[in-house]
Amino acid sequence: MTETAIPDAAPVRRRSAPRGALIGQVFEGLCFGAATLLLAALGGIIVSLVIGGWPALSKFGVGFLFSAAWNPVTDVYGAAGPIVGTLITAALALLLALPIAGGVAFFLTELCPARLRRPIGTAVELLAGIPSIVYGMWGLFVFAPLFARFIQLPLMSAAKPGSLLETLTTGIPNGSGILPASIILAIMILPFMAATLRELLLTVPAAVRESAYGLGATTAEVVLSVTLPYVRQGAIGAVMLGLGRALGETMAVTFIIGNSHTFPKSLFDSGSTIASTIANEFTEATSPIHTAALISLGLVLFLITFAVLGLARLLLRQQGAKL
Amino acid sequence: MLKILGAAFGAALIVGVATQAAAAGSISGAGATFPAPVYNKWAEAYKAQTQTALNYQAIGSGGGIKQIQASTVDFGASDKPLKLEDQAKDGLVMFPTVIGGIVPVMNLPGFKPGQLKMTGANLADIYRGAIKNWNDPILAKANPGLKLPNLPITVVHRSDGSGTTFLFTSYLSLEAPHWASEVGANDSVQWPVGLGGKGNDGVAAFVKQTPGSIGYVEYAYAKQNAMTYALMQDKAGQFIAPTAANFKAAAANAKWTEAPGFYLLLLDQPGANAWPITGATFILMHAKQTDAAKGKDVLAFFDWAYKNGDAAAEQLDYVPLPANVKDLIRKSWSKIVGPDGKPVYK
């Protein structure tokens, strides 16, 4: 899609004046340099992650990805616990944030009285500007106790012994664990997705929407069958943006996830993510294998993010082919 | 173009200022976060008196060891002592600066600080999940006459690698053979049970928010947050409170003279009122200084701190070293020599 949408760059018309030509050359050179620098940085990061992580990767092999052992005393490391934690929290956060982000965006573009449009839009953008450490502290000191009291404890006491709900809700009733971390993540990625979706919806030509209304469609019908399909490709990009942030988020998660390297067994069980594990242990990792294992974790996160972006590209391409 | 010129000029200015600052006499150190507040406080007072500035970067003990091995700093700092053979491997000399204590804290509704008595073995059993409830008969045995609630125990530990965890797990290893063989001691370990909070404040927050929980924090946190602590059993079998005097007792009674390279964890030390989970934080320097004047500056700073820094340390809830230990350290400095083989500081 992207390839067909952007026409092949037409040959640049150069100005004949020598001054203009010089400026043009410098400009081209700078742009080329910027792009090359970016690629070089990307390549450099991958190479240094592989080199730094090599002692661990060569020692544990592929088993590094599938073992849940994480024992700094015996220097045996496996990434499975943090990988699973990262994927679960990111997916849950996306699941929670997407409907709300969509709702916010639709409300702002279709339903919101003009007077409120700006304050709500600004509030969403402000939410995006809050540093993640603030979310972490808020999560630990404010959100966790409230969550434990009004959601976790009622759920735990409502669960019948042996039921699925009981399996899902076993844990320490203090508002920490996988689900609370996912909720914090959801709040963090919500503004990004909402703001991007809103911008996307605003690109729908007024004529298209107005004709749909003119045909007698309700707001819901306009949103679901006209504007949403119109921005579908861009929306996937917005979702991936949110997912990318959720995968790499560090501080807020570290505060509240409980930081246990085992597989989480329930929604309220302690877990860990790749980013939180690195943040927790990197400063005090003294043995070379420990450091290497943490760098390897970084490489794994890099590859996961890469895979997510690749998947997004693939989806976009397929969507493009369909249209 | 002007902008580029401006940037270049700015960079030149910064470099110029930096070299100037170095010339005016400055020493650099990096490492443990635990003693960073007191090092910075000392540095402030020292600079006012001597014009010598100390630039200390609290990057963590692991980082401190790596930086001194790479000789990028004048001294490294670590909460986790290096054994003599490890010091020798990199040509390092180690000495302690201040002492801290680690305090088991809990959230037991209705309990006052110091009401619960705890032994090292019981603490280890709690942390490996063998004792699961506060009404366990083993806990009741250590606490005759105290009514312990029927409340599940939630174990809270540090999630980040830390010298506090190293000291705590070393203590559990010392007290319980099970712990030593199953878990061991390190600045982060594979915890059998429980959840991890980030930093002392993270552990303190989880403990406060979870009825029935138990955690371990540095003494300053337990004191400043007025947390419910347990009395620990000392080597003589007495149950004692975590106080500055009791940490000092642990350091005073310790056999520093028999500790090669000052490698000593002040765990379960003999003598009356020696708090069993006590530890010092350490400085690492190269035994052979390439720049004798720099080595002298560093040692002069710590000599000054031993003489004048006790009040500042106590204010921040650290425990100064006893006088006899300080003298021993000063004697050990004769090992730190310049390129000419003579001690850099006397």
Side-chain angles (χ1 to χ4, degrees):
Chain A
M1 155 69 209
T2 35
E3 287 83 354
T4 51
I6 300 166
D8 288 331
V12 183
R13 255 206 300 171
R14 292 170 199 277
R15 276 203 269 168
S16 50
R19 202 175 112 83
L22 182 67
I23 291 179
Q25 272 173 2
V26 169
F27 180 73
E28 276 173 30
L30 283 177
C31 291
F32 180 75
T36 322
L37 192 71
L38 187 76
L39 267 184
L42 187 70
I45 290 172
I46 297 177
V47 169
S48 57
L49 281 178
V50 170
I51 292 175
W54 189 247
L57 291 175
S58 57
K59 186 173 172 193
F60 304 117
V62 191
F64 182 71
L65 293 177
F66 302 106
S67 151
W70 189 272
N71 193 336
V73 179
T74 51
D75 260 346
V76 174
Y77 303 99
I83 290 177
V84 169
T86 305
L87 294 178
I88 291 180
T89 49
L92 275 179
L94 201 60
L95 212 63
L96 291 167
L98 190 57
I100 303 175
V104 170
F106 293 136
F107 178 76
L108 282 175
T109 47
E110 301 288 337
L111 298 167
C112 185
R115 234 162 5 109
L116 284 177
R117 206 163 279 183
R118 190 173 280 268
I120 296 181
T122 314
V124 167
E125 277 156 23
L126 273 180
L127 210 55
I130 298 177
S132 74
I133 185 100
V134 175
Y135 278 107
M137 292 193 302
W138 175 80
L140 178 59
F141 292 109
V142 181
F143 173 78
L146 293 175
F147 183 84
R149 201 166 143 204
F150 294 109
I151 297 176
Q152 194 177 3
L153 281 174
L155 270 178
M156 286 172 90
S157 44
K160 289 192 189 71
S163 65
L164 178 68
L165 188 64
E166 202 214 9
T167 323
L168 283 177
T169 57
T170 44
I172 303 154
N174 66 356
S176 71
I178 293 287
L179 184 63
S182 307
I183 294 176
I184 298 278
L185 272 181
I187 299 173
M188 294 181 71
I189 62 175
L190 176 65
F192 285 96
M193 289 167 47
T196 322
L197 282 176
R198 185 182 69 133
E199 295 299 319
L200 278 171
L201 291 176
L202 287 176
T203 61
V204 178
V208 174
R209 279 176 32 225
E210 277 158 17
S211 4
Y213 280 118
L215 288 171
T218 62
T219 310
E221 283 165 348
V222 171
V223 164
L224 292 177
S225 28
V226 180
T227 51
L228 198 56
Y230 193 91
V231 299
R232 192 161 40 187
Q233 298 162 40
I236 292 176
V239 169
M240 288 302 158
L241 191 74
L243 188 59
R245 174 144 201 217
L247 284 171
E249 181 42 51
T250 310
M251 265 313 158
V253 175
T254 309
F255 270 78
I256 201 160
I257 197 165
N259 300 301
S260 127
H261 293 299
T262 47
F263 289 120
K265 290 174 205 68
S266 80
L267 286 174
F268 297 125
D269 204 0
S270 300
S272 64
T273 68
I274 293 177
S276 74
T277 304
I278 298 174
N280 270 325
E281 297 188 4
F282 200 77
T283 49
E284 301 284 336
T286 31
S287 89
I289 291 286
H290 194 179
T291 312
L294 290 169
I295 295 174
S296 307
L297 269 187
L299 184 66
V300 171
L301 181 60
F302 197 91
L303 295 179
I304 291 177
T305 318
F306 226 72
V308 165
L309 283 176
L311 201 68
R313 287 257 141 195
L314 208 69
L315 281 174
L316 282 178
R317 194 169 291 179
Q318 279 179 353
Q319 292 287 341
K322 259 187 224 163
L323 280 178
Chain B
M1 197 64 217
L2 263 182
K3 265 188 190 164
I4 297 171
L5 270 182
F9 182 69
L13 199 71
I14 292 167
V15 172
V17 169
T19 39
Q20 218 174 17
S26 76
I27 45 181
S28 65
T33 47
F34 160 69
V38 69
Y39 290 173
N40 286 327
K41 187 123 184 171
W42 284 346
E44 206 179 295
Y46 189 65
K47 180 155 195 244
Q49 278 186 22
T50 63
Q51 305 302 317
T52 305
L54 163 67
N55 171 20
Y56 183 73
Q57 293 171 325
I59 56 171
S61 298
I65 294 171
K66 278 175 207 153
Q67 296 289 327
I68 190 67
Q69 281 168 349
S71 301
T72 51
V73 287
D74 301 325
F75 68 88
S78 174
D79 292 336
K80 187 179 167 181
L82 289 184
K83 293 207 170 87
L84 187 63
E85 58 262 33
D86 291 326
Q87 294 174 32
K89 205 168 60 194
D90 290 302
L92 297 174
V93 170
M94 186 178 79
F95 55 87
T97 50
V98 286
I99 303 163
I102 290 161
V103 180
V105 291
M106 54 269 302
N107 181 340
L108 280 173
F111 274 64
K112 284 199 262 313
Q115 248 186 326
L116 188 82
K117 291 174 181 158
M118 186 66 78
T119 65
N122 289 354
L123 199 58
D125 277 346
I126 289 176
Y127 266 83
R128 66 187 184 94
I131 297 179
K132 292 187 170 72
N133 196 304
W134 285 106
N135 67 5
D136 194 293
I138 299 174
L139 293 180
K141 211 175 131 198
N143 289 280
L146 196 65
K147 183 153 173 35
L148 287 160
N150 175 13
L151 197 62
I153 299 177
T154 300
V155 166
V156 185
H157 52 77
R158 286 281 289 269
S159 66
D160 45 338
S162 100
T164 311
T165 297
F166 170 72
L167 209 57
F168 186 72
T169 49
S170 299
Y171 174 66
L172 296 187
S173 297
L174 186 74
E175 294 289 309
H178 277 299
W179 185 273
S181 60
E182 287 164 25
V183 186
N186 203 341
D187 27 33
S188 49
V189 300
Q190 188 160 11
W191 297 96
V193 291
L195 78 162
K198 175 144 177 64
N200 282 294
D201 41 359
V203 170
F206 276 142
V207 169
K208 273 188 194 162
Q209 290 165 14
T210 318
S213 60
I214 182 165
Y216 60 93
V217 292
E218 278 158 20
Y219 167 61
Y221 275 83
K223 191 183 160 196
Q224 283 155 17
N225 295 319
M227 300 185 78
T228 305
Y229 56 79
L231 300 181
M232 290 296 302
Q233 191 175 38
D234 66 8
K235 202 171 178 77
Q238 299 296 310
F239 288 93
I240 58 171
T243 62
N246 290 351
F247 301 147
K248 212 166 191 165
N253 298 331
K255 294 199 168 60
W256 290 98
T257 42
E258 289 164 27
F262 289 110
Y263 180 89
L264 190 58
L265 305 173
L266 302 173
L267 300 172
D268 212 15
Q269 292 297 320
N273 294 332
W275 180 255
I277 327 175
T278 307
T281 184
F282 298 86
I283 295 295
L284 290 160
M285 285 177 73
H286 285 287
K288 190 143 184 126
Q289 297 281 321
T290 45
D291 179 357
K294 191 68 104 184
K296 186 179 170 220
D297 282 347
V298 175
L299 292 178
F301 169 74
F302 285 109
D303 191 21
W304 175 90
Y306 288 145
K307 265 192 212 115
N308 309 298
D310 286 3
E314 276 166 355
Q315 230 172 31
L316 294 168
D317 290 316
Y318 298 90
V319 181
L321 291 167
N324 59 338
V325 182
K326 287 178 185 174
D327 288 338
L328 215 57
I329 294 166
R330 286 195 182 96
K331 266 183 215 145
S332 79
W333 286 346
S334 62
K335 277 182 291 189
I336 301 176
V337 296
D340 56 356
K342 285 193 189 125
V344 294
Y345 185 76
K346 267 179 213 156

